[in-house]
Amino acid sequence: MTRTADVLPGITPGTWTIDPAHSEVTFSVRHLAISKVKGSFETFDATAVVGETLEDSSVEASIEIASVSTGQAPRDEHLRTSDLFAADEFPTMTFRSTGIRLQGDNVLIDGDLTLRGVTKPVTLTGEFGGVTVDGYGQTKAGGEATTKIDRTDFGVNWNAAVEAGGFTLGNEVTITLELQFTLQQ
């Protein structure tokens, strides 16, 4: 068993909640096979329960699908439709960890991602940023994590052929989490 404090210096066992003002959830997907479109989700929540060991620790998160933002309102509306995210029918994307482990300098968080009512296992590759106390006396921890998913595995199948060959959207989506948590007293 790996003691959490040995691999995440300064971390305190307990319940840590997301600080949304200092966190972001972003994604990118190949567009027209020549560039990437990036976006974010503006409304999300996460809780990490840090145990004495990594094996006793867990993470749960939820993302409000309707909060998707790519900087273009018509594209955001299309993303919310049944062509893509089906936000009316499936308003949240969720993640529940099933295990946390180390691989070199990375913290790997295995878990179940649910999108459009489909649940698949994913692994988040994380980098621990550290722990500090802010100007208000709150203990904060930060880090980042990424994963790649095939959107079609989750029923996000819309696409359109382009005249020059290929398709409008790639299937691989990179999800990036830049997160800051606050230790609850």
Side-chain angles (χ1 to χ4, degrees):
M1 295 237 193
T2 306
R3 282 181 27 94
T4 307
D6 291 341
V7 294
L8 305 177
I11 201 77
T12 302
T15 300
W16 297 74
T17 58
I18 197 76
D19 176 353
H22 299 102
S23 301
E24 63 180 15
V25 176
T26 61
F27 63 90
S28 66
V29 63
R30 181 89 33 212
H31 183 253
L32 299 176
I34 61 169
S35 63
K36 290 184 179 178
V37 169
K38 297 179 179 185
S40 64
F41 293 95
E42 303 298 320
T43 305
F44 51 88
D45 191 29
T47 300
V49 176
V50 175
E52 291 293 331
T53 66
L54 284 181
E55 296 81 1
D56 293 333
S57 301
S58 63
V59 177
E60 289 191 17
S62 65
I63 297 168
E64 184 182 306
I65 294 296
S67 74
V68 67
S69 174
T70 63
Q72 293 196 353
R75 179 171 48 210
D76 296 346
E77 284 304 316
H78 187 219
L79 285 168
R80 292 180 187 106
T81 70
S82 61
D83 281 350
L84 294 151
F85 288 133
D88 287 343
E89 188 176 353
F90 304 103
T92 57
M93 177 176 13
T94 60
F95 176 82
R96 277 203 174 88
S97 66
T98 57
I100 302 174
R101 57 197 165 91
L102 284 180
Q103 185 178 64
D105 290 338
N106 293 320
V107 177
L108 301 183
I109 305 170
D110 301 313
D112 293 324
L113 179 69
T114 302
L115 173 62
R116 279 188 64 124
V118 176
T119 302
K120 297 279 183 184
V122 301
T123 298
L124 298 168
T125 301
E127 181 181 313
F128 182 61
V131 176
T132 192
V133 176
D134 70 10
Y136 301 101
Q138 297 178 319
T139 302
K140 303 282 189 158
E144 75 174 61
T146 61
T147 192
K148 292 182 180 183
I149 63 169
D150 183 327
R151 65 186 180 86
T152 63
D153 289 347
F154 294 90
V156 184
N157 297 317
W158 180 89
N159 222 336
V162 293
E163 192 174 311
F167 291 92
T168 301
L169 294 177
N171 290 345
E172 185 178 84
V173 178
T174 301
I175 301 170
T176 303
L177 311 164
E178 296 280 351
L179 304 175
Q180 193 173 110
F181 287 88
T182 305
L183 177 62
Q184 299 306 295
Q185 300 302 322

